Amino acid sequence: MVLPLNLETIIPSDDKVRLLSQFVEELDLTDLYRTYGRVRKNTATPRQMLKIVLYAAMNRLYSSRDIETACRRDINFMFLLEGSPAPDHATIARFKYLHFPEVAEKYLAAMTEWLYLCGEISGKDIFIDGTKIESCANRYTFVWKKAVTKNQAKLMAKAVTLVEQCEEVYGVQAVHDGTVTLHKLKKVRKKLYKLREEEGITFVHGIGKRKNQLQRDIELLESYIDRLKQYTNHIHVCGDRNSYSKTDPDATFMRMKEDHMLNGQLKPAYNLQQGVDSEFIIWLTISQKTTDANALIPFMRSMEEHLGFRYTNIVADAGYESEENYIYLEANGQVAFIKPNNYEISKTRKYKKDIGRPENMDYDPEEDRYTCINGRHLTATGIRKHKTASGYVRKATIYTCADCSGCPFKGSCIKGNNSHTPMELRNKHLEVARTMMEHRERCMERITSEEGCMLRMNRSIQAEGSFSETKEGMKFRRYLSRGKKNVLAESIIVAMARNINKLHAKIQSGRNGQHLYSLQSA
């Protein structure tokens, strides 16, 4: 029995492998070919490699060895190879983590532009959300910045004591104002070695040999220098993060939903930020921050840098609310549909009846003061500035009541039991960020409107649904590569593969051009 050589007669005309092949054929792959020094004959071309890598992700194949096996056995992979020999696993791995990362963002932008021109995405409403995906790093090679800082301070105290002893014994001057630096420690070591040469002291090693005091001091000083270098390097790698992994320095330890030990341990991971429009992943970024609020502005800047159009409505959940994000979107001419942090709790009876909250007090904008339930005024007494992790300075006005003595509502108005001041002597204080409150009120009006309710419903369906399809449907739960650049390329491969699957499903079900799900009226 001879297998048919013409694969065109075997593969159906509406198979998704043909849709993928057509999309790749329309891409300009000049930049991808430039990443190769030369393309050898009788081997798979970069265009064919891109096809098989994307089609492998569409079928939940991520290992290079599994892709190699599929290229030898699966007729769809043979169709994409067009008669070229199946590449080995090393060639596939080099393409995924050496060549494709150089052009990954460009081709994701090209896919988004292609979908926009075809009318498959609206280009108006974008739904942003984030999820944490575990890194391909050892879970127990953690470095905590707080612990390193404490150990560094203890080591510096020991180094000051050692150098002071050397000053008394050997006459070396290095300590000024009770502090030393790594440069000063090296100078002390150099002077001690010079003293050893002048006195002709020979260092001994091994069992049964006694070291003199100079040798012990030099060895202890060298151990301090090595440890101080190590601590300095740890802090430098951490940067503005609180931790990193030794086997993948770009990964940050985060709390994840997948807890295999059920003890809430942190694992090395990346915070994947995705923007979804019409159920398609139109852009994504990789963040090393654990919170989503600090990742919104870098995501928007990256998207606007690569895409040729700008979104008008930015829809996100409560994790993205911050004063800095509100101001950035407003200055950028975009409308924020961000759910406030206190949205759910603000609907409770307890919140509405809390007389100590500024939302439940009367505010006079002309006098700039609040009036409590007892009719006493809280006037502005100062401004407190707070600098966020991104460098934004947030200002809050402090309102204070001049006298709260004899107030019958004092116990339920003034909160906090950790104050050393007795309740009888305490007065009511409020800290109100006026800019944040005004933006939150305007955003609350938008998300509670009919358009806002529809966009919030679509965010839950489309943004959360994209992560569900990626993690559950495509079984992508852990990265196979290390480093932020390779992780980004791996995420883009999965996103492009998912978009092809989604486009094929829409074509088969006749839902082309559908952007939003409409609200159902009761």
Side-chain angles (χ1 to χ4, degrees):
M1 183 177 65
V2 180
L3 292 175
L5 298 179
N6 188 10
L7 299 178
E8 294 285 345
T9 61
I10 302 177
I11 301 175
S13 59
D14 60 347
D15 196 281
K16 58 185 177 182
V17 69
R18 296 184 181 274
L19 179 63
L20 169 66
S21 179
Q22 179 183 355
F23 166 71
V24 176
E25 291 293 339
E26 295 182 5
L27 285 179
D28 182 10
L29 303 180
T30 305
D31 294 335
L32 180 60
Y33 276 82
R34 287 175 181 170
T35 61
Y36 288 81
R38 63 186 180 91
V39 180
R40 298 181 180 180
K41 295 183 179 179
N42 299 324
T43 58
T45 63
R47 174 176 54 84
Q48 296 167 346
M49 293 295 299
L50 179 59
K51 289 182 180 181
I52 64 173
V53 167
L54 290 177
Y55 189 69
M58 292 166 61
N59 292 273
R60 301 184 295 183
L61 295 177
Y62 306 105
S63 170
S64 57
R65 294 183 183 272
D66 293 341
I67 299 176
E68 177 188 3
T69 303
C71 289
R72 300 182 187 278
R73 299 179 180 178
D74 196 315
I75 60 172
N76 286 350
F77 283 91
M78 296 177 186
F79 168 76
L80 295 176
L81 286 172
E82 302 171 357
S84 300
D88 59 356
H89 65 91
T91 304
I92 298 172
R94 283 196 298 268
F95 176 82
K96 291 178 66 176
Y97 307 124
L98 185 62
H99 299 285
F100 186 72
E102 301 295 331
V103 294
E105 292 180 307
K106 179 177 180 180
Y107 290 140
L108 178 60
M111 171 174 275
T112 302
E113 297 279 357
W114 181 68
L115 292 173
Y116 181 69
L117 294 175
C118 293
E120 292 297 330
I121 61 177
S122 65
K124 177 183 177 183
D125 307 315
I126 181 173
F127 309 100
I128 302 175
D129 203 357
T131 187
K132 298 177 179 64
I133 299 182
E134 188 176 354
S135 168
C136 180
N138 193 305
R139 296 172 177 171
Y140 305 101
T141 57
F142 40 75
V143 175
W144 306 107
K145 186 177 182 180
K146 188 175 181 180
V148 171
T149 305
K150 287 183 178 180
N151 293 333
Q152 186 185 39
K154 294 179 181 179
L155 180 62
M156 294 302 294
K158 293 181 180 179
V160 169
T161 304
L162 177 61
V163 173
E164 288 177 350
Q165 294 176 359
C166 293
E167 288 181 349
E168 296 178 1
V169 178
Y170 309 109
V172 178
Q173 297 294 329
V175 178
H176 299 284
D177 301 329
T179 60
V180 295
T181 61
L182 180 61
H183 179 67
K184 292 179 180 179
L185 291 179
K186 291 181 179 180
K187 290 180 65 176
V188 172
R189 181 182 61 178
K190 183 177 180 180
K191 293 180 180 179
L192 293 182
Y193 271 112
K194 185 176 181 181
L195 181 62
R196 170 199 172 188
E197 294 178 358
E198 293 175 354
E199 298 183 1
I201 299 176
T202 303
F203 287 176
V204 295
H205 303 279
I207 301 175
K209 297 181 181 180
R210 185 175 181 85
K211 300 178 181 179
N212 58 23
Q213 185 63 34
L214 180 60
Q215 182 178 356
R216 289 197 295 269
D217 291 339
I218 290 178
E219 291 179 353
L220 184 60
L221 183 61
E222 287 182 342
S223 67
Y224 286 173
I225 292 174
D226 294 338
R227 287 171 57 191
L228 188 59
K229 287 181 180 178
Q230 184 180 7
Y231 292 154
T232 305
N233 180 64
H234 287 334
I235 296 176
H236 174 71
V237 174
C238 277
D240 56 351
R241 298 179 292 165
N242 294 325
S243 62
Y244 78 92
S245 173
K246 292 180 182 178
T247 52
D248 187 3
D250 290 343
T252 307
F253 278 80
M254 306 178 184
R255 195 175 305 279
M256 306 183 64
K257 295 179 181 178
E258 296 85 2
D259 189 4
H260 65 287
M261 295 185 66
L262 302 179
N263 60 353
Q265 74 168 15
L266 305 181
K267 289 185 283 189
Y270 293 92
N271 192 355
L272 174 62
Q273 301 290 316
Q274 284 186 356
V276 182
D277 180 10
S278 306
E279 303 180 60
F280 293 99
I281 302 174
I282 57 97
W283 195 248
L284 60 85
T285 57
I286 297 295
S287 175
Q288 296 173 300
K289 306 293 182 63
T290 58
T291 58
D292 292 336
N294 296 329
L296 178 62
I297 295 179
F299 175 86
M300 298 298 298
R301 289 174 176 171
S302 176
M303 181 176 63
E304 292 175 1
E305 180 183 352
H306 291 85
L307 299 185
F309 57 94
R310 176 181 293 184
Y311 280 90
T312 304
N313 299 331
I314 311 300
V315 189
D317 61 357
Y320 292 88
E321 190 196 26
S322 70
E323 182 180 320
E324 182 181 8
N325 292 340
Y326 279 136
I327 293 177
Y328 175 82
L329 294 177
E330 185 180 16
N332 210 25
Q334 296 169 317
V335 183
F337 289 85
I338 301 177
K339 185 178 179 181
N341 286 326
N342 63 344
Y343 178 74
E344 297 296 337
I345 194 175
S346 63
K347 296 186 292 184
T348 61
R349 184 182 303 175
K350 180 180 178 181
Y351 185 93
K352 295 178 180 179
K353 291 188 176 182
D354 190 353
I355 62 175
R357 294 185 176 274
E359 295 87 348
N360 299 328
M361 295 184 183
D362 295 331
Y363 177 69
D364 186 1
E366 296 180 358
E367 299 290 337
D368 191 18
R369 67 184 183 184
Y370 284 91
T371 304
C372 68
I373 193 173
N374 199 25
R376 303 189 182 185
H377 301 301
L378 286 79
T379 58
T381 56
I383 296 178
R384 179 173 296 174
K385 296 182 180 179
H386 174 70
K387 190 175 183 179
T388 62
S390 59
Y392 176 77
V393 179
R394 179 172 175 265
K395 298 180 180 180
T397 306
I398 301 176
Y399 296 88
T400 307
C401 181
D403 185 17
C404 289
S405 59
C407 180
F409 307 100
K410 195 171 186 178
S412 57
C413 181
I414 299 179
K415 306 294 183 180
N417 299 322
N418 297 326
S419 177
H420 297 287
T421 306
M423 180 61 73
E424 296 79 12
L425 303 178
R426 294 170 64 181
N427 294 325
K428 178 66 177 178
H429 294 274
L430 285 179
E431 186 173 332
V432 180
R434 181 60 53 191
T435 304
M436 176 67 177
M437 183 174 291
E438 292 175 355
H439 281 89
R440 175 178 285 182
E441 291 175 355
R442 292 198 295 267
C443 192
M444 180 69 80
E445 295 178 359
R446 287 193 292 265
I447 67 171
T448 53
S449 63
E450 185 176 355
E451 181 187 10
C453 292
M454 182 180 63
L455 291 178
R456 283 193 293 125
M457 181 197 67
N458 279 271
R459 190 209 68 82
S460 300
I461 296 174
Q462 299 191 27
E464 302 289 350
S466 67
F467 291 133
S468 175
E469 293 179 8
T470 300
K471 290 186 173 182
E472 290 293 336
M474 302 179 70
K475 301 299 180 183
F476 185 77
R477 291 184 169 272
R478 194 166 187 250
Y479 290 112
L480 299 180
S481 59
R482 298 176 181 177
K484 186 177 179 181
K485 188 175 182 180
N486 290 338
V487 164
L488 177 62
E490 196 171 350
S491 302
I492 289 178
I493 289 175
V494 176
M496 294 177 68
R498 184 216 170 249
N499 287 345
I500 296 295
N501 280 336
K502 178 60 68 175
L503 180 60
H504 181 263
K506 279 193 168 186
I507 294 174
Q508 295 297 318
S509 60
R511 295 192 300 115
N512 298 84
Q514 179 179 341
H515 304 311
L516 297 174
Y517 291 91
S518 58
L519 285 173
Q520 295 182 0
S521 58

